[in-house]
Amino acid sequence: MSETALIFDIQRSSLHDGPGIRTTIFLKGCPLDCLWCHNPEATSSKRQLFFHLDKCTLSGDCVSVCPENVHQIIEGNHIIDYDKCNLCGKCVEACNHNALKIVGQEMTVDEVLKEVMADIDFYKNSGGGITISGGEPLLQFSFAKSLLERCREKGINTCVETSGYVSTYKFKQILPLIDTILFDYKITGCNEHTKYTGVSNRAILENLNNAYHYGTSIILRCPIVPEVNNKDSHFKAIADLNLKYPNLSAIEILPYHDMGNSKRTSIGRNETLKELTTVTPEIANKWLEQLRSLGCDKAKIG
């Protein structure tokens, strides 16, 4: 019987999730809760109602069909009580402007593989393949492992984007199935990591070490967030990893973008880091120069 997983998006012809042209499969659910997360709708392991405020015309069609009184139009505002929603989907069907959707679709390995195989000629011509992302894709471990095994059988290049927060036992099982890992390095120091992501980084660092010594191609991805980790000590730690692991394929810095805040409100969660705005290219380039001055010669802006 084919394994199943909760998928929240499939992006075809992706150019930023590993080498070549790729199909990126986003699995829902993550054990981390990073304050700056770009995809907060991926954090929960359950299906969710998602509201596009900019598409809403305040027609009230959703109000009239909802059996749980989830929706109200009050003084020109669309008010949603997400806790009442049973995900029946009637409001989604009634909305003619696509302002509402259900995030999360149960799919089998066979169904996902069919999507992947549709672009196999692009992979061959560009050196691309499949990328499994999230959320944290290894949270749905059995599905991820089965999908990677099937891709291996078909000669499709494989990539996993991961926080590294998974048991060492499981992580070692999956390494032989991965050509490239996009490995997040978020914050230096266990206490700071726990403060801003909700989990310790001990297992993460151990799995980074395991992947490196196994010989997997690793692109280290480093989100840089003002007032959180844009510190000299953090930049020094990234440069030290460059020295410790000289065969890293690349080190990408990912400047903070505030898109996650509007998406948080779209699923009924409070905004975080409200005082921050998207980092300008000028600031990002200064960070890049700082890393290179510390000897981090593989650094680039992702």
Side-chain angles (χ1 to χ4, degrees):
M1 186 173 179
S2 184
E3 293 276 357
T4 64
L6 196 60
I7 309 294
F8 84 88
D9 197 11
I10 297 178
Q11 291 183 2
R12 297 170 68 175
S13 300
S14 175
L15 300 174
H16 303 289
D17 296 321
I21 298 173
R22 312 193 72 83
T23 299
T24 304
I25 315 298
F26 293 89
L27 275 62
K28 208 168 182 310
C30 185
L32 283 69
D33 192 10
C34 304
L35 296 181
W36 57 87
C37 182
H38 285 184
N39 294 318
E41 73 275 31
T43 303
S44 172
S45 296
K46 299 178 181 180
R47 297 165 70 235
Q48 292 171 288
L49 179 66
F50 191 99
F51 172 53
H52 292 278
L53 175 62
D54 58 332
K55 294 182 180 181
C56 181
T57 63
L58 302 175
S59 67
D61 292 336
C62 55
V63 178
S64 60
V65 300
C66 179
E68 305 297 332
N69 297 315
V70 171
H71 304 273
Q72 296 182 68
I73 306 298
I74 301 176
E75 295 181 355
N77 294 304
H78 188 158
I79 309 300
I80 301 176
D81 189 339
Y82 289 88
D83 292 335
K84 288 183 178 179
C85 183
N86 64 7
L87 301 172
C88 68
K90 291 181 179 179
C91 62
V92 176
E93 294 174 6
C95 181
N96 293 319
H97 301 279
N98 299 315
L100 294 162
K101 67 178 180 179
I102 304 296
V103 178
Q105 177 185 356
E106 199 78 26
M107 296 184 71
T108 66
V109 170
D110 289 338
E111 288 170 334
V112 172
L113 195 61
K114 184 178 179 180
E115 296 270 353
V116 173
M117 292 298 294
D119 288 335
I120 194 164
D121 288 340
F122 292 109
Y123 311 148
K124 291 178 179 178
N125 294 331
S126 70
I130 183 176
T131 296
I132 307 180
S133 185
E136 170 48 63
L138 300 186
L139 189 64
Q140 300 190 69
F141 180 78
S142 295
F143 177 90
K145 186 171 182 284
S146 295
L147 181 57
L148 291 169
E149 287 171 341
R150 295 285 297 280
C151 288
R152 268 282 190 264
E153 292 169 3
K154 296 183 178 297
I156 297 173
N157 182 277
T158 59
C159 179
V160 171
E161 181 174 15
T162 179
S163 68
Y165 191 76
V166 64
S167 74
T168 300
Y169 172 72
K170 287 183 176 180
F171 194 71
K172 286 183 175 180
Q173 286 184 57
I174 214 162
L175 285 176
L177 304 173
I178 303 172
D179 292 304
T180 301
I181 294 182
L182 307 178
F183 200 110
D184 287 356
Y185 180 72
K186 300 177 185 294
I187 300 178
T188 300
C190 184
N191 291 337
E192 288 289 289
H193 199 280
T194 302
K195 176 181 176 181
Y196 287 107
T197 73
V199 304
S200 165
N201 66 349
R202 290 192 181 95
I204 292 169
L205 294 175
E206 183 178 356
N207 283 329
L208 174 60
N209 191 65
N210 288 332
Y212 183 82
H213 289 292
Y214 185 81
T216 307
S217 172
I218 301 172
I219 297 174
L220 198 68
R221 285 189 156 178
C222 307
I224 307 296
V225 184
E227 301 181 25
V228 175
N229 64 355
N230 63 327
K231 303 174 181 177
D232 291 344
S233 58
H234 184 56
F235 289 123
K236 176 67 165 55
I238 295 171
D240 287 345
L241 287 174
N242 191 169
L243 292 173
K244 182 178 181 180
Y245 302 125
N247 292 326
L248 288 173
S249 297
I251 296 176
E252 295 181 350
I253 61 171
L254 308 177
Y256 172 76
H257 195 292
D258 63 5
M259 71 175 73
N261 268 336
S262 63
K263 294 174 79 174
R264 287 177 74 91
T265 59
S266 292
I267 54 173
R269 297 187 65 185
N270 293 327
E271 293 180 273
T272 58
L273 305 177
K274 290 186 289 185
E275 69 283 1
L276 298 185
T277 57
T278 298
V279 169
T280 65
E282 291 76 17
I283 292 175
N285 283 319
K286 286 182 180 178
W287 290 340
L288 181 60
E289 291 171 10
Q290 183 174 353
L291 277 172
R292 288 179 174 170
S293 71
L294 292 168
C296 191
D297 57 344
K298 293 182 179 177
K300 62 180 181 178
I301 297 175

